[in-house]
Amino acid sequence: MKTPPSGGGATEAPSGRGIAGTPSGGGIAETPSGGGDAKRPSTAGPGRRPGRPPSLTRAAIAEAALAEGVATFSMPGVAARLGVGHSTLYRYVDNREALVRLAVELVAERTVWPSAGPAWRALLTGFADALWGACEAFPGLDETILTTPGTPRVMVDLLTGYGGALVGAGLTPRDAAVAVDFVADLVFSSSVAMRGLDRRLPDAAGGSSTARERYRRAWARESAGRHPFEAEFTAEETWHGRGWFDDKLDIFLDGLATRIAPGPSRAPDRAASPGPSTEENA
């Protein structure tokens, strides 16, 4: 990752929430009541020997969904990977959306998150890095999280700890909540945008080019070096890797520092802004 967290080390996230969706009925390693699927004949998938499959678990099904692609998996594809019938999966998950939440939960449980310490800037930077790393490891995770409602328990627990650390550093509860939400949104939207630059688009000559190439050509043609500002849009690093993500995060964190710093310029908490007291009006 480009900006590793500092000051406080890292810790494995507690089990509970993935980055989106609420798990049903406890941990993801549960098996359904009434026994496993050991007696069901196998419809062996690629690389699997025919015969009776082992008893399934929700964790194994989530693992298979991640292997198929968190944003693109199909229930038949997951079933084939596990060597079971399609209908078997519905004994463990209600539908595809429930399996999406289960898979994202598994990602969250396996991600190494920064610990909640007093160094608020390192905490938020490390949080951003951990999210970005998860998006790189599981393509499509970013868009999946943005479009799948719910907040699993592991992330509720994690972010509650972060919120406490940010409040301890001087932020109001509202500012602390907005800060972690803003960082997460910035990661996911930036990751989706950078990944989208790889898509190929047809051109008039019958060939194709990437969205990245289209953007760079447009800026190079229109700007023609008229101002150094425009050169930033044609720079190679602008359209690769994390692009301007780290710069955007730094600008936000610099602004957040002004809300932590003591003094009259600090904005009040919008969630609980009491009116002037009697003593102040005296």
Side-chain angles (χ1 to χ4, degrees), residues 134-203:
C135 291
E136 286 185 327
F138 300 97
L141 179 68
D142 41 23
E143 189 171 356
T144 298
I145 290 170
L146 289 173
T147 57
T148 303
T151 305
R153 187 73 248 171
V154 64
M155 292 306 293
V156 171
D157 293 340
L158 178 75
L159 297 182
T160 297
Y162 287 177
L166 293 172
V167 170
L171 286 175
T172 65
R174 169 67 68 85
D175 285 352
V178 170
V180 294
D181 184 68
F182 181 91
V183 170
D185 282 349
L186 181 61
V187 169
F188 298 139
S189 60
S190 298
S191 178
V192 167
M194 295 306 294
R195 188 162 48 86
L197 295 176
D198 291 327
R199 71 185 188 278
R200 300 198 69 85
L201 305 169
D203 56 34

Side-chain angles (χ1 to χ4, degrees), residues 9-91:
T11 182
E12 293 285 351
S15 61
R17 177 219 191 207
I19 309 173
T22 303
S24 58
I28 63 174
E30 293 178 350
T31 56
S33 59
D37 193 49
K39 296 184 179 180
R40 185 179 183 90
S42 170
T43 54
R48 294 186 62 91
R49 294 180 179 179
R52 296 197 316 174
S55 295
L56 288 181
T57 64
R58 284 158 59 84
I61 296 172
E63 188 81 61
L66 289 177
E68 287 287 301
V70 66
T72 58
F73 76 82
S74 66
M75 298 295 276
V78 171
R81 178 175 289 271
L82 292 168
V84 299
H86 178 198
S87 61
T88 300
L89 298 183
Y90 294 99
R91 296 172 57 188

